[in-house]
Amino acid sequence: MTDLLIRNAHVIDPATSLDAQKDVLVREGRISAIEHPGAFTTLEIKDTIDAAGLALAPGFIDVHVHLREPGQTWKETIATGTRAAAAGGYTTVVAMPNTVPVNDTVESLTWMLAPERNSAINLLAMPAATQGSLGEHLTHYEALAMGGAVGFTDDGKPILDDHVMRAALVTAARMGLPVSQHAEDTRLTGGCSMHAGPVAFRLGLRGMTVEAESNIVERDIALLREIESDEGLRPHLHVQHVSTAKALAAIRQAKQQGLHVTCEAAPHHFTLTDDALEGYNTNAKMNPPLRAETDRLAVIEAILDGTVDCIATDHAPHAAHEKEVEFERAPNGITGIETALGLALRVLHRQHGLPVAHIVALMSNNPAKIIHLKDRGSLKAGNYADIVLFDPAAEWTFAAAQSLSKSKNTPFDQAPMLGRVHATISEGRVVHRHGTAR
Amino acid sequence: MTTENTLPAHHPGSLLSVNHLSIPDVSEILAATARIEAMPAPERAKLLAGRRVALLFYESSTRTRTSFELAAKSLGATTTLVSDKSSSIEKGESLKDTGITLRALGAEAIILRHNASGAPDLLARMTGLPVLNAGDGMHEHPSQALLDFRTMLTRLGLDAASASETCLKGVTVVITGDIRHSRVARSNAMLLPRLGARVILCGPEPLLPREALSLHPAIEIERDLDRALSQASVAMMLRIQKERLAGLSLDLAAYIEGYQLTEARIAAHAPNVLVMHPGPMIRGLEIQSEVADGPNSAIEEQVRHGLAIRTALLVRALGVNA
Ligand SMILES: [Zn+2]
């Protein structure tokens, strides 16, 4: 493996509190050293990148993506989804288990993570928390953990049964892994296709209430408290794509009480509201749905005050013909792996003053902690050389047609972005390059 | 924040929602309706001679389908009916593909009735053809709102051939019943206030949630029918769909007691009120039979205005000057 020298970059590494102009030396796929500019001039390194004017951060980590393989490769494959991820600055993604069949065995997990799938970057997976994601019988946590699972989830569906959820938290706690919950009380959301509110009323669509999300979050937090006191274990609940002020308030309180709860927010939830569904725009249909402005602002507030631990895209590709149907029949989900940084910088940094370093933490260091990645998510010497180079001031317009994802179902076609990825380096290899970075 | 991507516009001849109509548009539709109505039948039959209109009905509807069909035929158009009961809607074929097929077969406009809210928007986007929304899910029934408006104008002795922001000034319309599930209520509640009417929605909470106030900034909610009626110039009653009451805490006997339009109620609170109903009615449930057939009722006239308004909508859809 050849060595690589990145010169004159503005290095941002929240884990080591680094925020300065530096040169970064990569050797054998790992971070070798970070020194003041010019420190490595005596070395003979063939591959160099002049990163003047660019920010250099640990590669982004997305704990929530759908890659559709096996079973739905017309929407996306591991190869295409991870190439799109690289274009978005990601060097690690965690595949959700709602493939066809559901990833609920060591065999399917191994198949998914095999080199033959041609992942462009580091691929991890959370297998199903219950067999077939049916919410009834736990999968084999110990074997799955040995096989590389970084957590367990039935994403797309909640674990509704109290006893099953309790068992999932207890069993995962013994492995030291999180249970990642899609918080939706589906007993309250039958036939619903968007957020309950005035827009849904005007459009004549049945709406999901905020309680459908917060009830499950509150139930899960109560289970954590119970397990901690009864079993002497410290279970880790990770709440996926939180979208309501009510659920965020519950999570904030649980954190203050010292429970091990983490959560993620998706860029679409801090950027858009249910107004985006006007005209029955199926490219704005997702679950949890786009909410009211008060909820959007609550998500931003929770990001600013640290209640939200990380940004996750919930990248959910669907083919055009699947979205070109009656609104209520259209599948949930949007692509998002290439627009996350551009939206985070535009909305969180420019509009709400969140420092760029904090956004980097939300996209790399913090997600690494949630899934216990020891040698990623920071630029510490010896870590994998997972690096993103981006221009934080670049203003550009996202064009869905140019997306590397197989699917183009995004509400952000032609949307303004702030901050552009110029290069993505995964374990020392340049896996994506844009524009003039060289 | 609003949507970030702009959806492709639909054909200007489409009528998907009353909100897509400007007041001048409404006025022009009324004027065209009057002009077409005044034409001798042979002349009227030349307006759309040789033009092809498809009626695509995923949900059965005798009234609306016949009204559109007779309107089209009176203008000389060729119509073809594709319904979910006919073999023409291929099993499992998408709405998009059905629309594209109809377009390829020469349809120049599509009249769509569908049980999914927003289906006409999709069809209009996918085909580029003018699409007339003949009722979509719980969303809208814009031609019904226009015919209701025209019925009010004629029965209240107002100018039936033009509209303005104040033409219904002083008119209070009480819409009573299952507003939650009613596309007729939505279209009327969004259109009539823009024409100067005061609109009061009336019904129990399960059928009339507070979100209904978002239909128009001037909308009011009144839970007591007697109190609403005492202010009403028009009482628009809605059908109670028994099958939709499942899961809602609603007692039918209590509903009849509180919300049925009866002769006694009219005599006590609104002797001159104009009674309207979009049909089909359930006599004895939301409305007493005597009231439906009584002197205050404009229900039959609504049907006649429906036919007339739909001629103007078809002419507009196909870009013909009438
Ligand atoms: Zn989910």
Side-chain angles (χ1 to χ4, degrees):
Chain A
M1 189 172 285
T2 56
D3 297 342
L4 174 66
L5 178 63
I6 307 165
R7 293 183 291 114
N8 301 313
H10 175 185
V11 177
I12 303 172
D13 185 24
T16 56
S17 303
L18 193 57
D19 198 329
Q21 206 73 18
K22 296 282 179 188
D23 284 1
V24 177
L25 181 63
V26 171
R27 284 196 146 148
E28 307 282 312
R30 306 250 175 187
I31 304 282
S32 172
I34 300 179
E35 292 292 343
H36 61 83
F40 303 114
T41 41
T42 55
L43 297 176
E44 272 195 36
I45 308 282
K46 262 210 307 249
D47 274 357
T48 63
I49 294 177
D50 179 8
L54 299 179
L56 184 155
F60 301 143
I61 297 169
D62 193 340
V63 297
H64 191 155
V65 301
H66 298 272
L67 298 176
R68 306 302 187 202
E69 193 177 356
Q72 297 179 310
T73 51
W74 66 91
K75 296 174 195 263
E76 191 80 286
T77 63
I78 289 170
T80 60
T82 52
R83 267 198 296 131
Y90 286 88
T91 50
T92 293
V93 291
V94 178
M96 293 294 109
N98 61 337
T99 46
V100 184
V102 170
N103 177 21
D104 61 358
T105 63
V106 174
E107 290 68 36
S108 60
L109 177 63
T110 307
W111 184 91
M112 198 181 270
L113 301 181
E116 289 75 22
R117 303 290 87 75
N118 286 315
S119 178
I121 55 172
N122 181 41
L123 175 65
L124 300 171
M126 278 196 198
T130 67
Q131 292 169 27
S133 284
L134 296 172
E136 290 163 7
H137 309 286
L138 295 193
T139 50
H140 199 324
Y141 286 23
E142 196 172 353
L144 289 166
M146 298 279 286
V150 294
F152 305 95
T153 183
D154 282 349
D155 180 39
K157 297 173 182 175
I159 303 174
L160 281 185
D161 187 286
D162 297 359
H163 300 289
V164 176
M165 185 58 185
R166 192 182 200 282
L169 286 166
V170 166
T171 314
R174 296 206 174 105
M175 312 291 118
L177 291 175
V179 175
S180 196
Q181 176 78 294
H182 171 109
E184 175 192 356
D185 190 337
T186 46
R187 293 162 296 201
L188 304 176
T189 55
C192 298
S193 52
M194 66 174 292
H195 168 64
V199 181
F201 189 87
R202 281 201 303 276
L203 292 176
L205 297 169
R206 291 173 208 276
M208 306 185 190
T209 60
V210 297
E211 285 77 18
E213 176 172 283
S214 62
N215 286 359
I216 297 293
V217 172
E218 286 163 11
R219 190 274 315 253
D220 290 349
I221 288 169
L223 285 173
L224 287 187
R225 199 175 288 124
E226 196 182 293
I227 294 166
E228 281 209 9
S229 69
D230 294 0
E231 321 257 342
L233 281 166
R234 189 162 162 75
H236 176 185
L237 170 72
H238 178 71
V239 188
Q240 299 180 312
H241 41 49
V242 190
S243 66
T244 63
K246 216 169 169 195
L248 287 163
I251 293 166
R252 185 178 288 120
Q253 202 194 9
K255 287 185 159 197
Q256 281 160 3
Q257 292 169 353
L259 294 168
H260 194 184
V261 185
T262 56
C263 73
E264 65 192 39
H268 45 266
H269 286 131
F270 62 66
T271 305
L272 298 174
T273 67
D274 55 355
D275 285 346
L277 277 72
E278 293 287 358
Y280 301 94
N281 181 7
T282 54
N283 280 334
K285 184 184 177 191
M286 70 272 298
N287 187 12
L290 295 174
R291 303 281 186 181
E293 179 68 356
T294 49
D295 288 307
R296 184 182 82 89
L297 294 174
V299 171
I300 292 171
E301 197 195 323
I303 291 171
L304 298 182
D305 75 10
T307 302
V308 168
D309 300 90
C310 71
I311 291 171
T313 65
D314 192 6
H315 178 73
H318 293 291
H321 73 269
E322 296 168 311
K323 283 284 195 178
E324 286 171 347
V325 297
E326 297 85 331
F327 189 86
E328 288 153 286
R329 287 183 51 199
N332 288 308
I334 65 167
T335 59
I337 201 94
E338 290 161 277
T339 48
L341 177 70
L343 294 171
L345 286 170
R346 192 188 97 198
V347 178
L348 302 175
H349 173 62
R350 176 175 282 174
Q351 293 171 7
H352 294 271
L354 191 68
V356 175
H358 194 154
I359 289 172
V360 167
L362 287 163
M363 296 180 73
S364 62
N365 185 224
N366 294 5
K369 278 191 232 162
I370 291 168
I371 53 173
H372 306 296
L373 299 186
K374 304 229 160 33
D375 40 16
R376 299 181 197 269
S378 139
L379 301 172
K380 276 193 273 278
N383 269 12
Y384 283 108
D386 287 353
I387 292 169
V388 56
L389 281 170
F390 64 98
D391 176 355
E395 310 212 22
W396 59 290
T397 302
F398 178 70
Q402 253 112 65
S403 168
L404 296 183
S405 173
K406 248 190 185 182
S407 298
K408 320 290 176 193
N409 52 308
T410 167
F412 299 113
D413 190 21
Q414 302 308 318
M417 300 282 146
L418 177 64
R420 179 147 221 178
V421 173
H422 277 250
T424 307
I425 297 160
S426 172
E427 300 181 4
R429 289 172 300 119
V430 177
V431 288
H432 178 80
R433 190 169 263 201
H434 167 82
T436 51
R438 42 181 66 248
Chain B
M1 311 259 324
T2 52
T3 179
E4 302 236 349
N5 67 348
T6 26
L7 296 166
H10 54 83
H11 189 283
S14 286
L15 179 54
L16 310 176
S17 160
V18 293
N19 289 332
H20 297 166
L21 293 175
S22 66
I23 302 297
D25 289 337
V26 175
S27 206
E28 177 47 37
I29 291 166
L30 286 183
T33 306
R35 288 196 299 270
I36 296 167
E37 212 170 36
M39 280 181 188
E43 197 186 322
R44 194 184 311 163
K46 284 184 200 145
L47 284 172
L48 296 184
R51 308 294 298 267
R52 284 185 256 191
V53 174
L55 296 116
L56 184 50
F57 275 62
Y58 283 79
E59 205 183 71
S60 55
S61 153
T62 312
R63 179 183 307 246
T64 304
R65 178 180 57 70
T66 313
S67 180
F68 268 113
E69 198 168 0
L70 291 177
K73 290 208 158 99
S74 77
L75 299 167
T78 306
T79 62
T80 177
L81 171 68
V82 181
S83 80
D84 59 344
K85 287 176 188 66
S86 73
S87 56
S88 313
I89 297 178
E90 294 293 329
K91 248 206 159 20
E93 186 173 62
S94 71
L95 178 60
K96 173 189 172 176
D97 286 333
T98 303
I100 288 170
T101 302
L102 289 175
R103 185 180 67 191
L105 290 170
E108 297 171 83
I110 302 177
I111 297 156
L112 178 66
R113 160 69 63 104
H114 202 290
N115 50 17
S117 298
D121 295 62
L122 174 74
L123 187 68
R125 223 157 45 220
M126 293 299 146
T127 63
L129 291 177
V131 171
L132 299 180
N133 180 0
D136 61 327
M138 308 190 297
H139 178 226
E140 279 212 51
H141 198 348
S143 64
Q144 178 75 39
L146 290 169
L147 76 90
D148 287 340
F149 172 47
R150 192 171 193 253
T151 307
M152 284 175 213
L153 291 174
T154 52
R155 280 291 288 256
L156 299 171
L158 302 165
D159 176 6
S162 77
S164 73
E165 280 165 30
T166 54
C167 63
L168 289 180
K169 206 161 189 291
V171 175
T172 298
V173 181
V174 173
I175 306 177
T176 305
D178 185 1
I179 288 156
R180 182 192 286 273
H181 299 112
S182 173
R183 49 196 173 212
V184 175
R186 274 179 187 70
S187 285
N188 271 296
M190 291 192 283
L191 178 67
L192 298 177
R194 295 171 58 208
L195 300 161
R198 181 176 169 220
V199 171
I200 301 176
L201 303 179
C202 186
E205 216 279 329
L207 301 184
L208 173 55
R210 288 194 53 80
E211 283 93 55
L213 291 172
S214 72
L215 293 173
H216 189 277
I219 291 283
E220 297 165 50
I221 285 180
E222 169 58 67
R223 303 280 175 203
D224 185 290
L225 179 57
D226 293 339
R227 249 198 324 260
L229 269 186
S230 65
Q231 308 165 64
S233 340
V234 178
M236 188 181 289
M237 307 307 292
L238 301 174
R239 183 165 69 101
I240 291 297
Q241 291 147 288
K242 284 187 197 154
E243 68 277 10
R244 290 207 151 135
L245 300 183
L248 295 175
S249 49
L250 193 80
D251 169 358
L252 218 50
Y255 182 82
I256 291 172
E257 174 71 25
Y259 295 99
Q260 186 183 67
L261 191 62
T262 63
E263 281 189 310
R265 273 209 160 96
I266 291 176
H269 303 288
N272 298 315
V273 77
L274 183 63
V275 175
M276 298 175 71
H277 194 302
M281 281 182 282
I282 308 180
R283 290 169 185 258
L285 209 172
E286 69 269 5
I287 191 165
Q288 232 176 21
S289 204
E290 293 78 0
V291 173
D293 301 330
N296 296 38
S297 172
I299 296 171
E300 227 183 286
E301 252 169 291
Q302 284 175 273
V303 178
R304 275 200 297 279
H305 284 296
L307 185 62
I309 281 283
R310 285 166 182 136
T311 59
L313 292 177
L314 282 161
V315 158
R316 176 179 180 268
L318 292 173
V320 170
N321 288 320

